[in-house]
Structures are given as C-alpha cells and as structure tokens.
Amino acid sequence: NAGVIQTPRHKVTGKGQEATLWCEPISGHSAVFWYRQTIVQGLEFLTYFRNQAPIDDSGMPKERFSAQMPNQSHSTLKIQSTQPQDSAVYLCASSPQENQDTQYFGPGTRLLVL
Amino acid sequence: SQWGEENLQALSIQEGEDVTMNCSYKTYTTVVHWYRQDSGRGPALIILIRSNEREKRSGRLRATLDTSSQSSSLSITAAQCEDTAVYFCATGNYKYVFGAGTRLKVIA
C-alpha cells in the first residue's frame, strides 16, 4: 500500500500562472479530501468528494480555486491566476467506506508563488 | 475558531520523560483524532477517541476525552527522540477542524 500519492511534491509558479495539483487516493477508498496548511492559518479544510461526487466545498476560496475528481483513482486541485498568498502546503487525504471518519494523508504539495 | 488554543505550542523535554498535550474544542464532536506530523510529511493518525470513551491507549500513547469540558489530551509515556514531531488534534467526522498543534522536541 503506497498510501496517498501527491504530485508534484514541490511547485514554484509565478504570480498569475496556473497551478494544478494531483492526488491519488489509497486504492479502494471512497472519499477524498483537500486541506491547505500554512504557518499562520494552520490546517484548513478546502473540499471533499465521496464516490467521486463533490460533497462539500465550503472551504474553497470562491475565486480561482477548483477541484475535480474525474475517476476514483485521482483528484486535482487547480488554482488559476496564482497569488503569493496561495503559497502553502496542499494536503490530500482519503478515507475508506468502512471507516469514514478516519483520514489518511498524503505528503502534500508545497506550492510557492513568487 | 473551533479550538480554544489559537497558537502553535512548543514543548521541549528530555528523553524518558512523560508529556501531556491538551486541546479544548468549542463545538460538539463525537470523535477526536490525534495526528503527528513529521517535517516534510503529511499528518499521520496515531490515535482516535470517541465520545463514548473516556480513555484510549495505544502503546506509549494515551488519549482522554472529556465531553463535559470539551477537552482532550494526548500523553506520551517515556518519550523518545523519535517522538519529536508536531502533534495535532482534530474534530469532525469528515470536515476536520484542526487545532493549532504542539511542536514537541525530545532531547537525548
């Protein structure tokens, strides 16, 4: 079991560019979550999919951020027109159907917007 | 904030000592998760405790939950250098709300 896989591990973008972050959940897990981690705000929930359907995106900034889960094996988080304040570690987690309140986190993608 | 503690706490202890980290929360929850995060890695679940449990043990770890005071604690017995990490508590069944965390350093 490779755990949750996130790529890339590090990404540097210029202000105004687009960034796409990838997540591969643990095989067989039915839910995928995205969080953002910064020194100032700590860990914050962004969005959540269950069986590929978007369930709760209440933590997503209303502009520029979007997430998709086109199939059960991967999810993407896209940030358009990146800004320096988007710099953070973006964490993906997944949870199994039989234990839905336990989340397993990936290593994160460290995004730096210059 | 969901949690009473607003800032990352820092603790430094000697190897072999016991340590307890506390969290208080503001809204009802049926479960508290404790995670540790090593530098450059994602959080890893180390123990969770449900509202019908007052205490939970796993190896050298002990978690408590007091629903009346809305607080939880994580204790590590005989801490070792490899316990050095940031420890977070989190509530919620899917939309986790994380506490600010405790940065624990265990010195040999």
Side-chain angles (χ1 to χ4, degrees):
Chain A
N1 187 342
V4 175
I5 298 171
Q6 290 189 249
T7 55
R9 292 295 312 277
H10 302 272
K11 186 173 183 65
V12 180
T13 65
K15 182 179 175 180
Q17 293 184 329
E18 183 177 286
T20 300
L21 314 181
W22 293 72
C23 170
E24 180 179 331
I26 294 171
S27 179
H29 280 194
S30 61
V32 169
F33 308 83
W34 286 94
Y35 292 83
R36 178 169 62 182
Q37 184 174 28
T38 62
I39 297 293
V40 174
Q41 298 294 332
L43 277 150
E44 301 174 291
F45 169 84
L46 293 176
T47 189
Y48 155 52
F49 295 85
R50 182 165 293 285
N51 297 320
Q52 299 174 233
I55 303 297
D56 185 341
D57 67 353
S58 59
M60 292 278 274
K62 296 309 177 189
E63 297 180 356
R64 304 187 295 104
F65 283 64
S66 62
Q68 294 183 325
M69 191 163 184
N71 56 60
Q72 64 183 8
S73 64
H74 89 273
S75 175
T76 58
L77 179 67
K78 183 180 292 185
I79 309 172
Q80 296 179 310
S81 186
T82 54
Q83 303 297 311
Q85 60 265 31
D86 299 331
S87 297
V89 175
Y90 290 84
L91 291 158
C92 177
S94 67
S95 68
Q97 180 71 27
E98 66 275 14
N99 197 7
Q100 295 180 18
D101 62 4
T102 299
Q103 297 179 24
Y104 299 87
F105 284 81
T109 294
R110 184 174 295 275
L111 175 67
L112 177 62
V113 183
L114 300 176
Chain B
S1 169
Q2 170 81 354
W3 293 91
E5 296 172 8
E6 299 294 339
N7 302 308
L8 178 69
Q9 306 290 309
L11 288 174
S12 185
I13 63 172
Q14 295 292 127
E15 198 170 32
E17 291 183 347
D18 299 342
V19 62
T20 296
M21 292 164 272
N22 297 298
C23 277
S24 59
Y25 54 92
K26 295 181 179 179
T27 58
Y28 174 79
T29 188
T30 60
V31 59
V32 174
H33 315 261
W34 283 91
Y35 283 81
R36 69 172 279 169
Q37 186 174 25
D38 296 287
S39 180
R41 306 185 74 170
L45 180 69
I46 53 175
I47 194 167
L48 68 84
I49 184 165
R50 301 187 186 278
S51 56
N52 61 351
E53 302 171 304
R54 289 186 60 84
E55 179 181 294
K56 187 87 168 281
R57 292 179 184 268
S58 176
R60 294 183 295 107
L61 303 177
R62 174 177 171 262
T64 66
L65 177 58
D66 185 342
T67 54
S68 63
S69 65
Q70 295 189 305
S71 63
S72 179
S73 71
L74 174 70
S75 298
I76 303 176
T77 303
Q80 302 171 5
C81 291
E82 52 265 36
D83 296 326
T84 293
V86 179
Y87 292 83
F88 295 98
C89 45
T91 57
N93 296 93
Y94 72 88
K95 184 176 173 179
Y96 281 6
V97 177
F98 282 86
T102 298
R103 185 181 299 280
L104 177 67
K105 184 173 182 179
V106 183
I107 304 167

